[in-house]
Amino acid sequence: MPCSCFIIPNDVLTRLSQDKKLSAPQRKRMVDTVEISHELRELRTQATRLTRVAATRAGGLVTLAAAPAITVYDCRHTQTLPGTPVPRPKTSSDGSVKRAFNETARVAKFYQQIFNRNSIDDHGMTMMSSAHFGEKYNNAMWNGSQMVYGDGDGSIFVDFTRGSDVIGHELTHGVTQHSLQLAYSGDAGGLNESMSDCFGSMFRQWEKKQTVNKADWLIGRDIMGPAARKRGLTCLRDMANPAAKHCLAPQPTKYSQVTPGMDPHYSSGPPNLAFCTACVTLGGYSWAKIGQVWYHSLTGFGASPNMTMPAFAARTRQGARTLYPGDAAVFSAVDAGWKKVGL
Ligand SMILES: [Zn+2]
């Protein structure tokens, strides 16, 4: 299966493109998004391969900057990447451009302050975003070297820069590409998607200063449009209740329900639930301890493209013991998380 790193899974767009309750132009937007997404996915696959080969050939990565530069481009509704540079995105009158800049800067700060990570590659890589990609394009993505945001059709989805968890999710695909280098199929694919949901959700909670009990654990809540809400769909995924009916793409909750060819947007359900359960069991802030265990497991051991979920679960159990030897509650919480999903 080729890599894909879009926030909206392909089958959801395909399903919506056949939905007779939507207007013909709305359905066409879904078809367009699927077709363009296919080509963008090829690009990402190649970029991931390049990262892998470059990492093995380089004598050691050179740090580019002490903190990453943040740049924003405007595609002006074309599909030409990166588009035209925006000179002062921080103060732009264009809401999408301004949000892309500010949220990316905050993701950089989140990774720096909470995990001591210098940008996506931990070597100060420039964090580049393109806004207004395509015409009412219904997706957002990490293409292997930059972020791309569509405006959404305004009906099912609104502007994708509105979701801080979406931004955190996609940028985390970059972090995974430069650390564990997980593949995008099988168990590794589900873990790859789950890492992005875990860190995307943690980022949103950190921005809002929410404890695990205050957090809603929803992914994509802020990008759901009026037509989706009218149908009772309040999010893409729910980490606390992956199979819930209010999700646009409900997921399995047990590891035993994960099948080999499953789209990673679905097989991420069990590891998402394990992470959420561990956080809620321990209490406090998600990023304080459980987030540290997950980050250590993601970035502390080099590349492992075909990692299985049981192997990742074992690594986090060990990580809880290594990082918090005097705090048995952390191990118990991590253990409870994985047991909940049958691991
Ligand atoms: Zn993703």
Side-chain angles (χ1 to χ4, degrees), residues 293-310:
V293 171
W294 253 244
Y295 182 76
H296 172 72
S297 303
L298 172 65
T299 62
F301 302 85
S304 200
N306 299 311
M307 189 159 221
T308 63
M309 291 189 194

Side-chain angles (χ1 to χ4, degrees), residues 71-77 86 89-104 129-133 148-152 158-163 167:
T71 59
V72 181
Y73 290 72
D74 186 350
C75 289
R76 295 189 181 164
H77 310 291
V86 179
K90 193 177 181 173
T91 53
S92 174
S93 56
D94 181 321
S96 310
V97 164
K98 196 172 171 178
R99 271 192 300 275
F101 179 87
N102 287 334
E103 291 298 329
T104 303
S129 306
S130 295
H132 302 302
F133 177 81
V148 182
Y149 300 102
D151 292 332
V158 295
D159 186 332
F160 283 76
T161 61
R162 289 187 182 278
I167 295 176

Side-chain angles (χ1 to χ4, degrees), residues 255-276:
Y255 179 61
S256 59
Q257 295 168 311
V258 171
T259 53
M262 193 175 262
D263 183 313
H265 291 99
Y266 296 96
S267 51
S268 56
N272 277 359
L273 180 58
F275 176 76
C276 174

